Amino acid sequence: MKLPVSRRDFLQTTALGAAAVSVLPKPLFAAEAGGRLKVGFIGTGNQGMGLIKRVLRFDLADIVAVCDVNEGSHGYRDPGHFYGREPAKKMVEDHGKRHKGKAAHECKAYADFRDLLADPQIDAVFAIVPDHWHAPVSILAAKAGKHVYCEKPLTLTVAEGREIMAAVDEAGVVFQVGSQERSNPVSQFVCNSVKNGAIGDVTRIETVVGYNNKVGPGPGWSADPVPKEFDYKMWLGPAPQVPYHHDRCLYRFRFNYDYSGGQITNFGAHSNDMAHWGMGMDTSGPTEIQCNHAEFLPEGSLFNTATVTSYRCKYPNGVELVCKSSEEKVQTRFEGSNGWMQTGYAGTTASSPELLKGLPDKNGPDGIDPHSAHMKNFVESVQGDATVNAPLEVGHASAVLCHIANAAIRRYPEHGDEVLKWDAEAERFTNSDGANDMLARPRRAPWDDLA
């Protein structure tokens, strides 16, 4: 499929166009006339296919289009997974035939997300793409007048968060960050209990990120031929031009700094977000951050994100947050003057049984799981019946914490026991120009100009 020449050409050919962006109705939703929300999925890999299945299972909206640079292949998280735009299109249409018969709608399949955004029937998009695509997709979707559900972490860099917020504010669209713990009744119970003083004054928080769950090639690796069904040039997009290797893309993108922040952003976008939530500091950040320990693969390995990490932060209220790599199933542990509470994949515990009275089931009273509930909350917010559980500003603050942690980690051990001072309002380090250089990075043309 031929790519549009530029973003400006894209906007000129989009039904809403650049001139209409500032006067979009709130909410912009075709179903106001009695129809249903029509959505497009940008990204049909491991996470994208899982979310598509949930939308179909709970009949949350009509999926009328999918998009991916991969026509269809194996090579995702598990060997048996066959994902991509054609498998996604088939799954949506087969589901419609089984459950709606002749009333089932066609699901279009696009190779370029800008073509999907130019489709006037689409009200909202789910951006389930590698982290280096979150900002370009979100910004152009907002400018096209589409409501946006963007997976976590919100951004690849600190600077991108401000870009997204400016575009969303101008367009007036609904935006949900895919931090589904915000729609998990158990996480809501724990974080709100802590915020409301159940354990007294919070003094310390421990958060956990997982170890790398995939192994890539070491130094001396050689390039692979690009599969014919895979548009590698488009997959790279704003990232540096580098040789193709199958371990660079699809699920494994998260282990290379060109596309992600490793497990610090992958898991930290959940556990650290909950830390901010429980402190009542959803849109703030620490005053200082220090890396205690970090380990990396040998220089020249394809995977270059840290494999083991430990860092600490200090907040204006005196709370110390320590985040570490661990196999523990505890995501977030709150310690206070009158007790402690912790929650994670292994369950929820506390210093006293009284603290857990009223603890709900994670699937909620209607039996809907947190992922699905989070998407349902987005749909209802677009309809005007709710407000998003994970607002843009909240997702930005959580992503910023992960990004500045990576800045400290990548400077370790060369800079030893360096304590980086952070101005959360200005979003700058006050004592390190070198660390500030990591808060933004250039994007390759034509993705360098999204204004």
Side-chain angles (χ1 to χ4, degrees), residues 3-8 114 133 136 233-234 236-241 441-450:
L3 300 181
V5 175
S6 68
R7 187 198 67 81
R8 290 184 178 87
R114 290 168 291 187
W133 273 112
K233 179 181 178 181
M234 186 64 174
L236 284 174
Q241 179 67 49
R441 65 179 73 176
R443 291 192 289 259
R444 283 195 308 141
W447 310 104
D448 55 336
D449 179 15
L450 302 176

Side-chain angles (χ1 to χ4, degrees), residues 45 72 104 148 215 354 381 406 446 449:
V148 183
V215 178
E354 294 296 317
S381 297
N406 265 330
D449 179 15

Side-chain angles (χ1 to χ4, degrees), residues 24 54 57 103 187 190 201 214 252 299 304 310 377:
L24 291 173
R54 288 179 165 90
R57 177 185 175 189
S187 299
V190 171
D201 295 331
K214 297 293 180 183
R252 293 163 175 79
E299 187 74 24
N304 58 14
S310 174
N377 170 247

Side-chain angles (χ1 to χ4, degrees), residues 337-349:
S337 55
N338 295 327
W340 57 265
M341 296 182 75
Q342 63 183 31
T343 189
Y345 301 115
T348 301
T349 54

